[in-house]
Amino acid sequence: MDAVRVALLREVLAGTQWPGDARRFAGSLRHSVVPASGNLLLVGTERYEPWHLAAHLVDEAAWSGLPELAPTLVRHRVRPGQPPHLSVGLGRLEAARRGHTLLVVAPDRPGAGLLERVHDARRAGATVLSLHGGDPDLGALAHDALSVREGAGEPDLDTVQHLVGAAAGENGLPVRRGPRRLRDRLARLADQLTAPPPSRW
């Protein structure tokens, strides 16, 4: 999703908690992976693989100059002959230690096996973050969580993933001096163009 579409999405959700919550959660993700030089593991549930978020974070990693945001997609089922980036199974979670970040995306209830692996990764020192549909067990395991309970007038998990992915790459180069990157300038311009007029009161 490009900067203009993200800005329009934020405009639609203005007045709700979602843009702010997404930025806060994305900040937790960025602050977890950047000092550790990456090691971001992204996993879903047996019924849901977060392909879209994985691709979005890869794009954000390239555009923001933060390669640490590019995740390793961990899959519940790996078929023979698939390329290496699609061949990382759940066993990879067993190697998660301090310096690793585990991002769990779970619109449905995660199975006991996944919860156990996440628990073990946390005990081994990994930082656990979760985007979930309200599961209390997963929320309790996470160092930071964003719960998305879909309902009337509420965004779905895919929409919130767009917001989180875009926010993770924002202001990605705080230590670099000089002119702002073109993408940052375009995003700021889009935000200004779609912002409501200031109140006169």
Side-chain angles (χ1 to χ4, degrees):
M1 185 175 285
D2 61 45
V4 173
R5 290 180 181 174
V6 169
L8 291 173
L9 180 57
R10 287 173 177 157
E11 174 65 20
V12 169
L13 294 172
T16 72
Q17 82 273 17
W18 294 109
D21 284 356
R23 281 191 169 109
R24 177 198 57 75
F25 185 81
S28 292
L29 173 61
R30 191 168 57 244
H31 293 135
S32 176
V33 300
V34 171
S37 300
N39 295 320
L40 174 58
L41 304 175
L42 176 62
V43 66
T45 65
E46 287 191 49
R47 294 192 296 173
Y48 180 85
E49 286 190 324
W51 294 94
H52 199 142
L53 182 58
H56 201 43
L57 287 173
V58 167
D59 288 343
E60 290 296 328
W63 292 335
S64 67
L66 290 174
E68 300 90 349
L69 288 174
T72 297
L73 181 63
V74 178
R75 308 182 64 202
H76 287 257
R77 286 177 293 278
V78 176
R79 294 175 182 159
Q82 290 188 312
H85 70 285
L86 298 178
S87 299
V88 179
L90 287 176
R92 178 66 180 84
L93 300 183
E94 297 171 7
R97 296 288 183 269
R98 186 173 304 280
H100 289 83
T101 300
L102 176 56
L103 175 54
V104 185
V105 181
D108 55 318
R109 186 169 178 80
L114 177 60
L115 288 173
E116 183 177 344
R117 284 182 161 95
V118 172
H119 179 262
D120 290 345
R122 177 172 173 141
R123 286 183 58 193
T127 299
V128 177
L129 306 174
S130 70
L131 274 168
H132 61 89
D135 183 75
D137 294 327
L138 185 55
L141 280 175
H143 292 92
D144 195 358
L146 186 53
S147 179
V148 184
R149 293 181 174 90
E150 297 179 23
E154 295 294 326
D156 59 20
L157 189 67
D158 285 339
T159 299
V160 174
Q161 287 180 72
H162 279 304
L163 293 174
V164 168
E170 286 179 344
N171 304 318
L173 298 172
V175 297
R176 184 177 292 183
R177 300 292 183 260
R180 293 189 192 124
R181 295 171 60 88
L182 175 61
R183 184 171 180 274
D184 292 336
R185 293 197 303 266
L186 288 174
R188 184 166 281 104
L189 175 62
D191 282 339
Q192 291 171 352
L193 291 175
T194 57
S199 172
R200 296 184 179 182
W201 305 103

